[in-house]
Amino acid sequence: MIDLFCDCGGLSLGFEQAGYNVLLGIDNWKDALVTFQNNHKVCKTTISKKRIQLYGFHMSVNEWRVAGTIKEHYCVYRLMLSENDKTLFILRNPVGLYKSDKIYAEPRDGMEISFSEDDFNPTKLLVWKR
């Protein structure tokens, strides 16, 4: 489940207790994201004033190990927001993509993942325009 405008995560906590897997919480309220992170330890939340790089991200040692274990069932979701549009991408099986030379990975306290749009284009799940 992806919780858009998640606030502190009450709705997604109910879904989690009902057996759903909460993958991501998105909000622009910093204090709410801190509470959401406390309620959902395995979900990542990010607030950045810098431009987000779509074609690169960091995976911790544990994330890389889990991704290698569950292979095609491991997905990385990226929500890109701008003033004009919002796009949700999915990158499935990053370890397999690395082993097949479709993405690049450099060990740095986990793995720094990068890829070019020419070599690999992740699946766009949702695109909505203003």
Side-chain angles (χ1 to χ4, degrees):
M1 175 193 165
I2 297 172
D3 194 349
L4 301 173
F5 312 105
C6 65
D7 201 46
C8 63
L11 177 67
S12 53
L13 187 60
F15 273 94
E16 191 173 75
Q17 290 170 349
Y20 290 86
N21 187 16
V22 178
L23 302 171
L24 181 65
I26 301 164
D27 206 301
N28 62 356
W29 182 19
K30 183 179 180 178
D31 294 335
L33 285 176
V34 170
T35 304
F36 182 92
Q37 188 69 43
N38 288 331
N39 288 335
H40 305 285
K41 299 293 185 193
V42 297
C43 290
K44 285 191 171 184
T45 57
T46 303
I47 296 177
S48 177
K49 294 187 187 248
K50 297 179 185 176
R51 186 172 185 266
I52 298 172
Q53 180 187 0
L54 172 62
Y55 299 106
F57 55 91
H58 178 80
M59 292 180 71
S60 70
V61 174
N62 189 49
E63 289 171 322
W64 186 254
R65 188 178 312 119
V66 170
T69 301
I70 62 176
K71 298 177 173 56
E72 68 275 351
H73 300 291
Y74 192 92
C75 299
V76 176
Y77 296 89
R78 298 292 298 238
L79 178 66
M80 301 299 295
L81 302 171
S82 72
E83 289 183 8
N84 298 323
D85 62 289
K86 300 163 188 71
T87 306
L88 180 63
F89 291 90
I90 181 173
L91 185 129
R92 175 173 274 151
N93 190 9
V95 176
L97 293 171
Y98 167 69
K99 288 181 178 178
S100 64
D101 293 327
K102 292 186 179 176
I103 63 174
Y104 311 100
E106 183 178 332
R108 277 198 196 142
D109 191 28
M111 293 298 256
E112 289 295 325
I113 307 297
S114 62
F115 50 94
S116 73
E117 188 175 6
D118 297 333
D119 296 334
F120 180 76
N121 194 5
T123 305
K124 291 181 180 182
L125 293 180
L126 298 170
V127 178
W128 56 120
K129 301 271 183 189
R130 193 171 212 189

